[in-house]
Amino acid sequence: MPLAAFKTSFRITWADTDAAQVVHYSNYFRFFERAEEEFYRHLGFSFTDINKMGIWLPRVESFCQFKKPARFGDLIEVELTVRELKGKSIKYEFKIFNKESAVLLANGYVVIVAADKHMERAVQIPKEIVEKLKPFCK
């Protein structure tokens, strides 16, 4: 059974590109994070809500494979799936498509650990977050 996926779309802005109007490679990680933020909003909470829980979600691993260039003005769709949900970590997988041509532009992942802001150590992901993530897991 395929994983449930969250999808969000947006246009590539001038600030996302280099002099050749091609998206700079580092911006793909910004697109991942933008999709993650929209995903949380879709689930009914935000980074501010997570902060109020006394935790933060540092990235401990990230990867991106570039397939085709995205260019200024392109409409892209970022697909997010929850690849792994463990007690203290989440692995989000991302695929970025040109929404108009359906061409895969890039894919990758980030691994996030829930950490106590004051003790600066890994902690259990709050149950209210886990419950909202479960429908997007295996």
Side-chain angles (χ1 to χ4, degrees), residues 40-78:
Y40 292 157
R41 185 173 287 114
H42 172 76
L43 295 177
F45 60 94
S46 69
F47 283 119
T48 302
D49 297 326
I50 294 168
N51 190 39
K52 288 177 184 175
M53 294 176 190
I55 65 169
W56 57 299
L57 301 173
R59 279 77 182 124
V60 296
E61 184 178 344
S62 62
F63 170 81
C64 187
Q65 183 177 37
F66 310 101
K67 301 285 192 178
K68 299 277 184 184
R71 301 182 188 282
F72 171 69
D74 285 353
L75 180 61
I76 63 169
E77 180 174 72
V78 183

Side-chain angles (χ1 to χ4, degrees), residues 57-107:
L57 301 173
R59 279 77 182 124
V60 296
E61 184 178 344
S62 62
F63 170 81
C64 187
Q65 183 177 37
F66 310 101
K67 301 285 192 178
K68 299 277 184 184
R71 301 182 188 282
F72 171 69
D74 285 353
L75 180 61
I76 63 169
E77 180 174 72
V78 183
E79 181 180 292
L80 177 158
T81 55
V82 180
R83 181 57 54 196
E84 294 175 0
L85 179 58
K86 297 181 180 178
K88 298 179 182 181
S89 68
I90 308 164
K91 183 175 187 178
Y92 291 129
E93 184 175 272
F94 298 91
K95 292 181 182 177
I96 299 178
F97 297 92
N98 179 306
K99 189 162 182 178
E100 294 157 334
S101 68
V103 170
L104 178 65
L105 304 174
N107 59 35

Side-chain angles (χ1 to χ4, degrees), residues 102-137:
V103 170
L104 178 65
L105 304 174
N107 59 35
Y109 66 85
V110 296
V111 177
I112 299 164
V113 172
D116 183 283
K117 288 175 23 180
H118 304 292
M119 295 188 297
E120 297 182 346
R121 65 174 182 83
V123 295
Q124 292 293 119
I125 300 167
K127 288 179 183 166
E128 55 267 37
I129 293 175
V130 170
E131 289 305 312
K132 290 184 179 190
L133 292 175
K134 278 184 180 178
F136 292 89
C137 296

